Coordinates of all heavy atoms in Angstrom, one line a residue:
Chain B
P110 N 5.4 0.5 -31.1 CA 4.5 -0.6 -31.2 C 5.1 -1.7 -32.1 O 6.2 -1.6 -32.7 CB 3.3 0.0 -31.9 CG 3.9 1.2 -32.7 CD 5.0 1.6 -31.8
I111 N 4.4 -2.8 -32.2 CA 4.8 -3.9 -33.1 C 4.6 -3.5 -34.6 O 3.6 -2.9 -34.9 CB 4.0 -5.2 -32.8 CG1 4.4 -5.8 -31.5 CG2 4.2 -6.2 -33.9 CD1 3.6 -6.9 -31.0
S112 N 5.6 -3.8 -35.4 CA 5.5 -3.4 -36.8 C 4.4 -4.1 -37.4 O 4.1 -5.3 -37.3 CB 6.8 -3.8 -37.4 OG 6.8 -3.6 -38.8
G113 N 3.6 -3.2 -38.2 CA 2.4 -3.8 -38.9 C 1.1 -3.6 -38.1 O 0.0 -3.7 -38.6
H114 N 1.2 -3.3 -36.8 CA 0.0 -3.0 -36.0 C -0.3 -1.6 -36.3 O 0.5 -0.6 -36.2 CB 0.3 -3.2 -34.5 CG 0.4 -4.6 -34.1 ND1 0.3 -5.0 -32.7 CD2 0.4 -5.8 -34.8 CE1 0.3 -6.3 -32.7 NE2 0.4 -6.8 -33.9
N115 N -1.6 -1.3 -36.5 CA -2.0 0.1 -36.8 C -2.9 0.7 -35.7 O -3.3 1.9 -35.9 CB -2.9 0.1 -38.2 CG -4.2 -0.6 -38.0 OD1 -4.4 -1.4 -37.1 ND2 -5.1 -0.2 -38.9
S116 N -3.1 0.0 -34.6 CA -3.8 0.6 -33.5 C -2.8 0.7 -32.3 O -2.2 -0.3 -32.0 CB -5.0 -0.1 -33.1 OG -6.0 -0.1 -34.2
L117 N -2.9 1.8 -31.6 CA -2.0 2.0 -30.4 C -2.9 2.6 -29.3 O -3.6 3.5 -29.5 CB -0.8 2.8 -30.7 CG 0.2 3.0 -29.6 CD1 1.6 3.0 -30.2 CD2 0.0 4.3 -28.8
F118 N -2.6 2.0 -28.1 CA -3.4 2.4 -26.9 C -2.5 2.8 -25.8 O -1.5 2.1 -25.6 CB -4.3 1.2 -26.5 CG -5.1 0.7 -27.6 CD1 -4.7 -0.3 -28.4 CD2 -6.5 1.1 -27.8 CE1 -5.4 -0.8 -29.4 CE2 -7.2 0.5 -28.8 CZ -6.7 -0.4 -29.6
W119 N -2.8 3.8 -25.1 CA -2.1 4.1 -23.8 C -3.1 3.8 -22.6 O -4.2 4.4 -22.6 CB -1.6 5.5 -23.7 CG -0.4 5.8 -24.5 CD1 -0.3 6.4 -25.7 CD2 0.9 5.6 -24.0 NE1 1.0 6.5 -26.1 CE2 1.8 6.1 -25.1 CE3 1.5 5.1 -22.9 CZ2 3.2 6.0 -25.0 CZ3 2.9 5.0 -22.8 CH2 3.7 5.5 -23.9
Y120 N -2.7 3.0 -21.7 CA -3.5 2.7 -20.5 C -2.7 3.1 -19.3 O -1.4 3.1 -19.2 CB -3.8 1.2 -20.4 CG -5.0 0.7 -21.3 CD1 -4.8 0.4 -22.6 CD2 -6.3 0.6 -20.7 CE1 -5.8 0.0 -23.4 CE2 -7.3 0.2 -21.5 CZ -7.1 -0.2 -22.8 OH -8.2 -0.6 -23.6
R121 N -3.4 3.4 -18.2 CA -2.8 3.6 -16.9 C -3.4 2.6 -15.9 O -4.6 2.3 -15.9 CB -3.2 5.0 -16.4 CG -2.6 5.4 -15.1 CD -2.8 6.9 -14.7 NE -4.2 7.3 -14.6 CZ -4.6 8.5 -14.3 NH1 -3.6 9.4 -14.2 NH2 -5.8 8.8 -14.2
Q122 N -2.5 2.0 -15.0 CA -3.0 1.0 -14.1 C -2.7 1.4 -12.7 O -1.5 1.7 -12.4 CB -2.4 -0.4 -14.4 CG -3.0 -1.5 -13.5 CD -2.5 -2.9 -13.9 OE1 -1.3 -3.1 -14.3 NE2 -3.3 -3.9 -14.0
T123 N -3.7 1.4 -11.8 CA -3.5 1.6 -10.3 C -4.3 0.6 -9.6 O -5.2 -0.1 -10.2 CB -4.0 3.0 -9.9 OG1 -5.4 3.1 -10.2 CG2 -3.3 4.1 -10.6
M124 N -3.9 0.4 -8.4 CA -4.7 -0.6 -7.6 C -6.2 -0.2 -7.5 O -7.0 -1.1 -7.5 CB -4.1 -0.7 -6.2 CG -2.7 -1.4 -6.2 SD -2.9 -3.2 -6.5 CE -3.7 -3.7 -5.1
M125 N -6.3 1.0 -7.3 CA -7.8 1.5 -7.0 C -8.6 1.5 -8.2 O -9.8 1.0 -8.1 CB -7.7 3.0 -6.5 CG -7.2 3.1 -5.1 SD -8.4 2.4 -3.9 CE -9.8 3.4 -4.1
R126 N -8.1 1.8 -9.4 CA -8.9 2.0 -10.6 C -8.7 0.9 -11.6 O -9.4 0.9 -12.7 CB -8.7 3.4 -11.1 CG -9.1 4.5 -10.1 CD -8.7 5.8 -10.6 NE -9.6 6.3 -11.7 CZ -10.7 7.0 -11.6 NH1 -11.1 7.3 -10.4 NH2 -11.4 7.3 -12.7
G127 N -7.7 0.1 -11.5 CA -7.4 -0.9 -12.5 C -6.8 -0.3 -13.7 O -6.2 0.8 -13.7
L128 N -7.0 -0.9 -14.9 CA -6.6 -0.4 -16.2 C -7.5 0.6 -16.7 O -8.7 0.2 -17.0 CB -6.4 -1.6 -17.2 CG -5.0 -2.3 -17.2 CD1 -5.1 -3.5 -18.0 CD2 -3.9 -1.4 -17.8
E129 N -7.1 1.8 -17.0 CA -8.0 2.8 -17.6 C -7.3 3.2 -19.0 O -6.2 3.6 -19.0 CB -8.0 4.0 -16.7 CG -8.5 3.8 -15.3 CD -8.5 5.1 -14.5 OE1 -7.3 5.4 -14.1 OE2 -9.5 5.7 -14.3
L130 N -8.2 3.3 -19.9 CA -7.8 3.7 -21.3 C -7.6 5.3 -21.2 O -8.5 6.0 -20.8 CB -8.8 3.4 -22.4 CG -8.5 3.9 -23.8 CD1 -7.3 3.2 -24.3 CD2 -9.7 3.7 -24.7
L131 N -6.4 5.7 -21.7 CA -6.2 7.1 -21.8 C -6.4 7.7 -23.2 O -7.2 8.6 -23.3 CB -4.7 7.5 -21.4 CG -4.2 7.0 -19.9 CD1 -2.8 7.3 -19.7 CD2 -5.1 7.8 -18.9
I132 N -5.9 7.0 -24.1 CA -6.0 7.5 -25.6 C -5.8 6.3 -26.5 O -5.1 5.4 -26.2 CB -5.0 8.7 -25.8 CG1 -5.3 9.3 -27.2 CG2 -3.6 8.2 -25.7 CD1 -4.6 10.6 -27.4
Y133 N -6.5 6.5 -27.7 CA -6.4 5.5 -28.7 C -6.0 6.1 -30.0 O -6.7 7.0 -30.4 CB -7.7 4.7 -28.7 CG -8.1 4.0 -30.0 CD1 -7.3 3.2 -30.7 CD2 -9.4 4.3 -30.5 CE1 -7.6 2.6 -31.8 CE2 -9.8 3.7 -31.7 CZ -8.9 2.8 -32.4 OH -9.3 2.2 -33.5
F134 N -5.0 5.6 -30.7 CA -4.7 6.0 -32.0 C -5.0 4.9 -33.1 O -4.7 3.8 -32.8 CB -3.1 6.3 -32.1 CG -2.6 7.5 -31.4 CD1 -2.3 7.3 -30.0 CD2 -2.5 8.7 -31.9 CE1 -1.8 8.4 -29.3 CE2 -2.0 9.8 -31.2 CZ -1.7 9.7 -29.9
N135 N -5.4 5.3 -34.2 CA -5.6 4.4 -35.3 C -4.9 5.0 -36.5 O -5.2 6.2 -36.9 CB -7.1 4.2 -35.6 CG -7.2 3.1 -36.7 OD1 -7.6 3.3 -37.8 ND2 -7.0 1.8 -36.4
N136 N -3.9 4.3 -37.1 CA -3.1 4.8 -38.2 C -2.6 6.2 -37.9 O -2.6 7.1 -38.7 CB -4.0 4.9 -39.5 CG -4.4 3.5 -40.0 OD1 -3.6 2.6 -40.0 ND2 -5.6 3.4 -40.5
N137 N -2.0 6.3 -36.7 CA -1.3 7.4 -36.2 C -2.2 8.6 -35.9 O -1.7 9.6 -35.4 CB -0.2 8.0 -37.2 CG 0.6 6.8 -37.7 OD1 0.8 5.8 -37.2 ND2 1.2 7.1 -38.9
V138 N -3.5 8.5 -36.0 CA -4.4 9.6 -35.7 C -5.1 9.3 -34.4 O -5.6 8.2 -34.2 CB -5.5 9.7 -36.9 CG1 -6.5 10.8 -36.5 CG2 -4.8 10.0 -38.2
P139 N -5.2 10.3 -33.5 CA -5.9 10.1 -32.2 C -7.4 10.0 -32.5 O -8.0 10.9 -33.1 CB -5.6 11.3 -31.4 CG -5.2 12.4 -32.4 CD -4.5 11.7 -33.6
I140 N -8.0 8.9 -32.0 CA -9.4 8.7 -32.3 C -10.2 9.0 -31.1 O -11.4 9.5 -31.1 CB -9.7 7.2 -32.8 CG1 -8.8 6.9 -34.0 CG2 -11.1 6.9 -33.0 CD1 -9.1 7.7 -35.2
D141 N -9.7 8.5 -29.9 CA -10.5 8.7 -28.7 C -9.5 9.1 -27.6 O -8.7 8.3 -27.1 CB -11.2 7.4 -28.3 CG -12.0 7.5 -27.1 OD1 -12.0 8.6 -26.4 OD2 -12.6 6.5 -26.6
D142 N -9.6 10.4 -27.1 CA -8.8 10.8 -26.0 C -9.6 11.1 -24.8 O -9.1 12.0 -23.9 CB -7.9 11.9 -26.4 CG -8.7 13.2 -26.8 OD1 -10.0 13.1 -26.8 OD2 -8.1 14.2 -27.0
S143 N -10.8 10.6 -24.7 CA -11.7 11.0 -23.6 C -11.2 10.5 -22.3 O -11.7 11.0 -21.2 CB -13.1 10.4 -23.9 OG -13.0 9.0 -24.0
G144 N -10.3 9.6 -22.2 CA -9.7 9.1 -21.0 C -8.5 9.9 -20.4 O -8.1 9.7 -19.4
M145 N -8.1 10.8 -21.2 CA -6.9 11.7 -20.8 C -7.4 12.6 -19.6 O -8.4 13.3 -19.8 CB -6.5 12.6 -21.9 CG -5.8 11.8 -23.1 SD -4.3 11.1 -22.7 CE -3.2 12.3 -23.4
P146 N -6.8 12.5 -18.5 CA -7.4 13.1 -17.3 C -7.6 14.6 -17.4 O -8.6 15.1 -17.0 CB -6.3 12.8 -16.2 CG -5.6 11.6 -16.7 CD -5.5 11.7 -18.2
E147 N -6.6 15.3 -17.9 CA -6.7 16.8 -18.0 C -5.7 17.3 -18.9 O -4.9 16.5 -19.5 CB -6.6 17.3 -16.6 CG -5.4 16.7 -15.8 CD -5.5 17.0 -14.3 OE1 -5.0 18.0 -13.8 OE2 -6.1 16.2 -13.6
D148 N -5.6 18.6 -19.0 CA -4.7 19.2 -20.0 C -3.3 19.0 -19.8 O -2.4 19.2 -20.6 CB -5.0 20.7 -20.1 CG -6.3 21.1 -20.7 OD1 -6.9 20.1 -21.3 OD2 -6.8 22.2 -20.6
R149 N -3.0 18.5 -18.6 CA -1.5 18.2 -18.2 C -1.1 17.0 -19.0 O 0.1 16.8 -19.2 CB -1.4 17.9 -16.7 CG -1.8 19.1 -15.9 CD -1.5 18.9 -14.4 NE -2.2 17.7 -13.9 CZ -1.7 16.5 -13.7 NH1 -0.4 16.3 -13.8 NH2 -2.5 15.5 -13.1
F150 N -1.9 16.2 -19.5 CA -1.6 15.1 -20.3 C -1.7 15.3 -21.8 O -2.7 15.9 -22.2 CB -2.5 13.9 -19.9 CG -2.2 13.2 -18.6 CD1 -2.4 13.9 -17.4 CD2 -1.7 11.9 -18.5 CE1 -2.2 13.3 -16.2 CE2 -1.4 11.3 -17.3 CZ -1.7 12.0 -16.1
S151 N -0.7 14.9 -22.6 CA -0.8 14.9 -24.0 C -0.1 13.8 -24.6 O 0.8 13.2 -24.0 CB -0.2 16.3 -24.5 OG 1.2 16.3 -24.2
A152 N -0.6 13.3 -25.7 CA 0.0 12.2 -26.5 C 0.2 12.5 -27.9 O -0.7 13.2 -28.5 CB -0.8 10.9 -26.2
K153 N 1.2 11.9 -28.5 CA 1.5 12.1 -29.9 C 1.9 10.8 -30.5 O 2.4 9.9 -29.9 CB 2.6 13.1 -30.1 CG 2.3 14.5 -29.7 CD 3.4 15.5 -30.0 CE 3.1 16.9 -29.6 NZ 4.2 17.8 -29.9
M154 N 1.6 10.7 -31.8 CA 2.1 9.6 -32.6 C 2.6 10.1 -34.0 O 1.8 10.1 -34.9 CB 1.1 8.5 -32.8 CG 1.5 7.2 -33.3 SD 0.4 5.8 -33.1 CE 1.5 4.5 -33.6
P155 N 3.8 10.5 -34.0 CA 4.4 11.2 -35.3 C 4.5 10.2 -36.4 O 4.4 10.7 -37.6 CB 5.7 11.7 -34.8 CG 6.1 10.9 -33.6 CD 4.8 10.5 -32.9
N156 N 4.7 8.9 -36.1 CA 4.7 7.9 -37.2 C 4.3 6.6 -36.7 O 4.0 6.5 -35.5 CB 6.1 7.9 -37.8 CG 7.2 7.6 -36.7 OD1 7.2 6.5 -36.1 ND2 8.1 8.5 -36.5
A157 N 4.3 5.6 -37.6 CA 3.7 4.3 -37.2 C 4.6 3.5 -36.2 O 4.1 2.5 -35.6 CB 3.5 3.5 -38.5
S158 N 5.8 4.0 -36.0 CA 6.6 3.2 -35.0 C 7.0 3.9 -33.8 O 7.9 3.5 -33.0 CB 7.9 2.8 -35.8 OG 8.6 4.0 -36.2
F159 N 6.3 5.0 -33.4 CA 6.7 5.7 -32.2 C 5.5 6.5 -31.7 O 4.8 7.2 -32.4 CB 7.9 6.6 -32.5 CG 8.4 7.4 -31.3 CD1 9.0 6.6 -30.3 CD2 8.4 8.7 -31.3 CE1 9.5 7.3 -29.2 CE2 8.9 9.4 -30.2 CZ 9.5 8.7 -29.1
S160 N 5.4 6.5 -30.4 CA 4.4 7.3 -29.7 C 4.9 7.8 -28.3 O 5.8 7.1 -27.7 CB 3.1 6.5 -29.4 OG 2.1 7.3 -28.7
T161 N 4.5 9.0 -27.9 CA 4.9 9.5 -26.6 C 3.6 9.9 -25.8 O 2.6 10.3 -26.4 CB 5.8 10.7 -26.7 OG1 5.1 11.7 -27.5 CG2 7.1 10.4 -27.4
L162 N 3.8 9.8 -24.5 CA 2.8 10.3 -23.6 C 3.5 11.3 -22.6 O 4.5 10.9 -22.0 CB 2.1 9.2 -22.7 CG 1.1 9.6 -21.7 CD1 -0.1 10.2 -22.4 CD2 0.7 8.3 -20.8
K163 N 3.1 12.5 -22.6 CA 3.7 13.5 -21.8 C 2.9 14.0 -20.7 O 1.6 14.2 -20.9 CB 4.2 14.7 -22.7 CG 5.0 15.7 -22.0 CD 5.5 16.8 -23.1 CE 6.4 16.3 -24.1 NZ 6.9 17.4 -24.9
I164 N 3.4 14.2 -19.6 CA 2.7 14.8 -18.4 C 3.5 16.1 -18.0 O 4.7 16.0 -17.7 CB 2.6 13.9 -17.2 CG1 2.0 12.5 -17.7 CG2 1.7 14.4 -16.2 CD1 2.1 11.4 -16.6
Q165 N 2.8 17.2 -18.1 CA 3.5 18.4 -17.7 C 2.4 19.4 -17.1 O 1.6 19.8 -17.9 CB 4.2 19.0 -18.9 CG 4.6 20.5 -18.8 CD 5.6 20.8 -17.8 OE1 6.3 19.9 -17.3 NE2 5.7 22.0 -17.3
P166 N 2.5 19.9 -15.9 CA 3.5 19.4 -14.9 C 3.0 18.1 -14.2 O 1.7 17.9 -14.1 CB 3.5 20.6 -13.9 CG 2.1 21.1 -14.0 CD 1.7 20.9 -15.4
S167 N 3.8 17.3 -13.7 CA 3.4 16.0 -13.1 C 3.0 16.3 -11.6 O 3.5 17.3 -11.0 CB 4.5 15.0 -13.1 OG 5.8 15.6 -12.4
E168 N 2.1 15.5 -11.1 CA 1.6 15.6 -9.7 C 1.7 14.2 -9.1 O 1.7 13.2 -9.8 CB 0.2 16.1 -9.7 CG 0.0 17.5 -10.3 CD -1.4 18.0 -10.2 OE1 -2.3 17.3 -9.7 OE2 -1.7 19.1 -10.7
P169 N 1.8 14.1 -7.7 CA 1.9 12.8 -7.0 C 0.7 11.9 -7.4 O 0.9 10.7 -7.5 CB 1.8 13.2 -5.6 CG 2.4 14.5 -5.5 CD 1.9 15.3 -6.8
R170 N -0.5 12.4 -7.7 CA -1.6 11.5 -8.1 C -1.4 10.9 -9.5 O -2.2 10.0 -9.8 CB -2.9 12.3 -8.0 CG -3.0 13.5 -9.0 CD -4.3 14.3 -8.7 NE -4.2 15.6 -9.3 CZ -5.2 16.0 -10.1 NH1 -6.2 15.3 -10.4 NH2 -5.0 17.2 -10.7
D171 N -0.4 11.3 -10.2 CA -0.1 10.7 -11.5 C 0.7 9.4 -11.4 O 0.9 8.6 -12.3 CB 0.7 11.6 -12.4 CG -0.1 12.9 -12.7 OD1 -1.4 12.9 -12.7 OD2 0.6 14.0 -12.9
S172 N 1.1 9.1 -10.1 CA 1.9 7.9 -9.9 C 1.1 6.6 -10.3 O 0.0 6.5 -9.7 CB 2.4 7.8 -8.5 OG 3.2 9.0 -8.1
A173 N 1.6 5.8 -11.1 CA 0.9 4.6 -11.6 C 1.8 3.9 -12.6 O 2.9 4.3 -12.8 CB -0.4 5.1 -12.4
V174 N 1.4 2.8 -13.1 CA 2.0 2.1 -14.2 C 1.3 2.4 -15.5 O 0.2 2.3 -15.5 CB 2.1 0.6 -14.0 CG1 2.8 -0.1 -15.1 CG2 2.7 0.2 -12.6

Side-chain angles (χ1 to χ4, degrees):
Chain B
I111 289 176
S112 177
H114 283 194
N115 69 337
S116 294
L117 183 140
F118 309 86
W119 282 99
Y120 279 84
R121 177 171 68 176
Q122 187 175 41
T123 60
M124 288 291 290
M125 287 293 293
R126 300 173 70 91
L128 267 170
E129 300 175 284
L130 177 67
L131 299 176
I132 188 167
Y133 154 53
F134 290 88
N135 186 253
N136 293 323
N137 313 337
V138 177
I140 303 299
D141 181 359
D142 66 354
S143 59
M145 296 287 261
E147 47 199 270
D148 291 346
R149 297 184 298 107
F150 284 68
S151 62
K153 294 182 180 179
M154 192 163 186
N156 56 62
S158 59
F159 184 65
S160 177
T161 60
L162 177 67
K163 186 178 292 187
I164 308 173
Q165 165 63 19
S167 57
E168 297 182 2
R170 60 189 167 126
D171 301 331
S172 297
V174 181

